[in-house]
Amino acid sequence: MKKISIIFLITISNLYSDMVRVDEMFTQKSSLRLEASIFYANIQRQNNVIAPVIIGSGIGSSPIFAIPAILNTQKANQDYLNFGLNLRYGITRDIEIFAAPSFFYQHTNISDIGFSHQDDYNFNNFNMGFVYQVKKENKYPSLLVGATPIVIEKSLFDDKNTKSKMGNIDYFKSYSIFATSYYTVDPVIFLLQGGVRFSLKRKFDGHSLKIGDVLNLSPMVYFALNPYTSINFGVRYEYKFKDRLDNKVVVHQGSSIAYLFGVSYEINPALMVSIDINSLDTNLYASNSVNVLFSYRLK
């Protein structure tokens, strides 16, 4: 089989911060909100594998970032930059819908027999989804549920023999379902969120790929420093099932824990800025990331 390095640009939800911002988690009826984010991650891979590194929870309108992977037995250091937009609208008092395109740039340093590097940039994905508020917070915790299909995913394939780059577009191959609950004991908010991400088989260059499903659970705490500023911290536990290439297991990541920290500031009643930091170390790779998100209420 010819040697191919493969870059997958796959996200399960829209690409913004790793953490749910409680104050902005649900868009009220007839309200329209635009969010823009700039996300940076550094990925240290012990071995390059066929499936992408997936960062983030994908809970509600919180995003998932999928860092492109390279199919080779070698180490790599990747710098990944993503720009995403997200449009959110409350169609009723209990239902919010959202849609999000995203774009990326990546620089990869590869060490095998020698050293090489490559730069890639392209459209990433377009996804849509909804959040349903089953129960508002009162005497008991709130409950929100939702789902997100990835409508369009862009994949790039690098053939090292011919040094050519092939493109591929997949439709409705990745999905996420989720639930979130929180409870306020002023000035502290306790939040618990969980979900599952799953992918269907996809084809590339005569091969089939099945990316392992992922279960995640995140307990978090939010603390209001003042009426305009809040901080949050927590952990995210994930279990990723086996990735399969042509029905053969190629990698099994298993369990991992990410450490999360963030701060949010309300510039004015319509505009909020958030900065989120994520640190993760698994048996396949280590990653550190930072995301800056601007959230603006249009009406």
Side-chain angles (χ1 to χ4, degrees):
M1 183 176 69
K2 62 182 180 180
K3 190 177 183 182
I4 303 175
S5 74
I6 301 168
I7 300 174
F8 284 99
L9 314 174
I10 302 170
T11 43
I12 313 303
S13 184
N14 41 314
L15 303 183
Y16 311 129
S17 90
D18 283 355
M19 307 179 193
V20 175
R21 302 167 315 284
V22 172
D23 292 340
E24 303 299 328
M25 142 164 43
F26 192 77
T27 304
Q28 301 302 313
K29 180 180 178 180
S30 300
S31 292
L32 184 65
R33 182 173 292 276
L34 177 64
E35 297 179 334
S37 76
I38 300 175
F39 173 88
Y40 167 78
N42 177 260
I43 309 297
Q44 299 278 349
R45 297 178 185 270
Q46 297 301 317
N47 291 288
N48 292 317
V49 294
I50 190 168
V53 172
I54 299 177
I55 298 176
S57 65
I59 303 296
S61 59
S62 294
I64 289 293
F65 294 89
I67 313 301
I70 303 171
L71 180 61
N72 275 311
T73 55
Q74 57 199 6
K75 295 182 178 181
N77 182 302
Q78 294 177 293
D79 290 304
Y80 176 83
L81 187 66
N82 187 287
F83 175 72
L85 293 173
N86 183 28
L87 191 63
R88 303 168 55 187
Y89 181 70
I91 59 176
T92 73
R93 67 177 185 176
D94 295 321
I95 299 177
E96 171 193 325
I97 58 174
F98 54 85
S102 66
F103 307 84
F104 86 102
Y105 166 79
Q106 178 177 269
H107 178 79
T108 304
N109 290 306
I110 303 169
S111 58
D112 41 21
I113 299 176
F115 294 92
S116 60
H117 66 85
Q118 61 186 44
D119 295 283
D120 300 286
Y121 54 91
N122 213 304
F123 166 79
N124 190 352
N125 79 333
F126 176 75
N127 56 284
M128 303 178 68
F130 75 93
V131 180
Y132 174 58
Q133 185 172 240
V134 178
K135 180 184 177 301
K136 291 185 178 181
E137 182 188 22
N138 44 42
K139 183 179 178 180
Y140 300 100
S142 67
L143 177 62
L144 299 93
V145 299
T148 304
I150 302 297
V151 180
I152 305 173
E153 297 174 74
K154 176 71 173 182
S155 302
L156 298 180
F157 305 93
D158 250 359
D159 189 329
K160 286 195 170 182
N161 291 325
T162 63
K163 296 183 179 180
S164 63
K165 193 181 296 290
M166 299 174 288
N168 189 54
I169 297 179
D170 292 311
Y171 299 92
F172 294 100
K173 291 295 186 180
S174 302
Y175 301 85
S176 174
I177 57 176
F178 49 82
T180 301
S181 180
Y182 66 87
Y183 187 73
T184 304
V185 182
D186 195 32
V188 178
I189 298 174
F190 300 95
L191 182 143
L192 181 66
Q193 55 188 15
V196 58
R197 304 193 300 265
F198 56 95
S199 299
L200 305 179
K201 281 187 178 181
R202 61 197 73 215
K203 300 289 185 178
F204 71 92
D205 197 34
H207 300 281
S208 67
L209 169 67
K210 174 62 172 69
I211 298 175
D213 300 336
V214 179
L215 303 175
N216 62 67
L217 184 67
S218 299
M220 299 186 65
V221 176
Y222 290 73
F223 181 76
L225 299 178
N226 56 53
Y228 307 101
T229 308
S230 66
I231 60 174
N232 55 76
F233 56 89
V235 297
R236 183 178 65 253
Y237 170 80
E238 289 191 354
Y239 185 86
K240 185 174 186 296
F241 292 90
K242 299 175 181 179
D243 300 319
R244 297 179 182 273
L245 178 63
D246 295 330
N247 295 319
K248 296 180 180 179
V249 175
V250 290
V251 67
H252 184 201
Q253 182 178 315
S255 297
S256 62
I257 294 180
Y259 298 94
L260 314 174
F261 176 78
V263 58
S264 297
Y265 179 72
E266 185 181 282
I267 298 174
N268 59 52
L271 179 62
M272 174 177 286
V273 60
S274 300
I275 300 175
D276 297 318
I277 298 171
N278 181 315
S279 180
L280 174 67
D281 193 359
T282 77
N283 61 326
L284 297 176
Y285 64 89
S287 70
N288 293 286
S289 63
V290 60
N291 184 72
V292 179
L293 179 140
F294 297 91
S295 181
Y296 183 71
R297 188 174 68 247
L298 298 174
K299 69 173 185 177

